[in-house]
Amino acid sequence: MSAASQNPTDTVPPGDSGPAPVRPVRRAHRSLALALLAGAAGAGLTLLASGRTWAEGSAVLAQGELPRSVTGADVTGVPGALAVVGLAALVAVFAVRRAGRIAVAALLTLSGVGIAVAAVLGNSDTSALREKAATAVGLTGTDVHHVTHTGWPWVAAAGGLLLLVAGLLALVYGRHWPAMSGRYERTPGGARGPRRAPAAPDLDRPEEIWKSLDRGEDPTR
């Protein structure tokens, strides 16, 4: 039998899996890019929405009505605070490994859940609006009328969902993501990582020779 008539599969070494390992790498890169995009966008949307008007109303006075409005930060500070926590967790994912990465990814996921829940509950909350109306009027228990709610709480909730997606991606694919270089990490014995060897002394300069002798080195090596 000639070499040309041999089965092509006979030339494949046993156990060779071909290009299959490339697929997990591509999935890891795609999930990493998607998590970074979703996490950054989610935190940005939440922080933006927290500074916008969430509700408007009017406090009744003897002279008429006094319009009042409250921002998301007035209603609840939870979304803004968790957005900062989620953004920090997104960055910290790359600074830790193994169990630490799982813990940070879980924190990122919980931050997204907390933002979404707080934003939905804050959408119907009028306590901050009544408090601001009472401060303006100078009477406790002042009621507000013609209360309207804007769409910014839902924008904050959407930001929380994006952070949730980023956290879930980190939990599922995070073990395949790269980590910060451990070049400068301490070794288990407490010593630092590899250091550059000292430059050889210049034998034409006497002061360099004396410095080498002071360090206990042999300048002639």
Side-chain angles (χ1 to χ4, degrees):
M1 181 182 295
S2 62
S5 61
Q6 292 180 354
N7 191 334
T9 58
D10 294 339
T11 61
V12 179
D16 188 3
S17 57
V22 177
R23 294 180 180 177
V25 174
R26 289 179 179 174
R27 279 198 295 265
H29 289 171
R30 291 174 182 174
S31 63
L32 172 59
L34 182 58
L36 288 174
L37 181 62
L45 283 177
T46 303
L47 291 174
L48 175 65
S50 296
R52 302 294 180 175
T53 300
W54 281 25
E56 297 175 333
S58 300
V60 179
L61 299 174
Q63 298 83 3
E65 295 183 348
L66 180 64
R68 296 281 89 184
S69 63
V70 290
T71 64
D74 296 328
V75 176
T76 173
V78 173
L82 289 182
V84 176
V85 172
L87 193 59
L90 183 64
V91 176
V93 165
F94 303 98
V96 293
R97 302 178 184 181
R98 300 183 180 88
R101 178 166 290 186
I102 295 176
V104 173
L107 177 62
L108 177 59
T109 304
L110 293 176
S111 297
V113 173
I115 290 172
V117 172
V120 171
L121 294 177
N123 179 60
S124 57
D125 188 4
T126 59
S127 59
L129 192 59
R130 290 197 301 269
E131 182 179 351
K132 182 166 284 191
T135 302
V137 174
L139 297 174
T140 58
T142 302
D143 199 6
V144 289
H145 302 275
H146 311 297
V147 178
T148 58
H149 298 275
T150 66
W152 286 108
W154 300 109
V155 174
L161 293 179
L162 287 175
L163 281 170
L164 171 61
V165 170
L168 293 176
L169 288 172
L171 286 173
V172 176
Y173 298 102
R175 64 183 182 275
H176 302 297
W177 293 352
M180 290 183 180
S181 174
R183 181 177 179 182
Y184 300 102
E185 293 179 355
R186 290 185 177 273
T187 58
R192 293 188 179 274
R195 299 172 59 184
R196 290 183 178 180
D202 187 357
L203 298 180
D204 294 332
R205 302 179 62 184
E207 64 272 15
E208 293 293 334
I209 298 177
W210 284 112
K211 289 180 181 178
S212 298
L213 292 174
D214 290 338
R215 293 195 298 267
E217 301 174 356
D218 185 359
T220 62
R221 281 191 306 181

